[in-house]
Amino acid sequence: MLTRALLSVVALLALAGCATMEPGAPPLPDPKSQMAALEMHIAILVEEQRQKLDPAAKKLAIDPALTTIARARAADMAAKNYLAHTAPDGATSASLLMKQDAKWQGLLGENLAAQHYTKRGGVVVNDFARRFLDEWMKSTPHRENMAFANYDHAGVGAAVNGDTVYVALLFSTDLGLPPPKPEGPATTATPFESPAAASAAPASPMPDPLRLRGTVGAR
């Protein structure tokens, strides 16, 4: 059976606010300590926006496997200072998912983003989460990922390096496909222009080689 993967990326590299700390004010939290809260807030905002875009959309369940992969992707981008679907070593969210479960099949969507912060401004969770969401909403492919009604699982990962926060947001659905046969071939990933196009495409009996598609926004 065919694993259908829609992969798109937006790059948001805007400076965070540079508020001046008042004398005697407590020090700002370490940005690394804010990542779990940022992930949670992004997940909440995405679910709220998704219901506004399509009230009939399925509720998203936070999936531990997708969360693990999203965090791994965000951490790798932060460590190596890049923003792309494909890591320098060739790894992708799709390849990590299929390494974890070679028989996984369905539709995988990915939104990526990065946002600068300053030491004086720190990482204000609510503000950063809102900016990530607003930037995705400006891009048709990313908005379509969030609005696609059949997605029912999601995972969010956030990581930080010296001055930038990286986020990976994953969506998935099995599309109602029957379980693959144990003796069948391992699944591979094929790109589609949109989640709707992917869900409408017939499954191929002979999987294509792994091919990943991405679009890069303004830096």
Side-chain angles (χ1 to χ4, degrees), residues 11 26 28 62 78 113 141 158 160 184 203 212:
L28 293 171
I62 299 301
V160 62
L212 303 178

Side-chain angles (χ1 to χ4, degrees), residues 17-102:
C18 302
T20 302
M21 292 181 61
E22 295 293 333
L28 293 171
D30 182 346
K32 292 181 180 179
S33 71
Q34 302 291 86
M35 295 302 99
L38 179 61
E39 292 170 354
M40 181 179 299
H41 204 67
I42 289 173
I44 292 171
L45 291 180
V46 167
E47 181 64 38
E48 291 176 351
Q49 187 63 58
R50 175 179 167 82
Q51 295 303 313
K52 293 177 182 177
L53 292 169
D54 185 353
K58 294 180 179 179
K59 297 288 186 180
L60 294 173
I62 299 301
D63 186 286
L66 292 181
T67 298
T68 297
I69 292 169
R71 285 174 171 170
R73 293 287 292 116
D76 193 69
M77 290 188 293
K80 300 173 183 175
N81 196 30
Y82 72 94
L83 182 63
H85 292 304
T86 304
D89 64 2
T92 66
S93 293
S95 68
L96 293 176
L97 180 57
M98 288 184 286
K99 182 178 180 180
Q100 182 173 280
D101 180 3

Side-chain angles (χ1 to χ4, degrees), residues 162-176:
D163 65 355
T164 306
V165 177
Y166 293 84
V167 168
L169 169 63
L170 300 180
F171 304 94
S172 77
T173 173
D174 63 11
L175 294 172

Side-chain angles (χ1 to χ4, degrees), residues 10-13 216-219:
V10 63
L12 167 62
L13 295 177
V216 180
R219 293 182 180 275

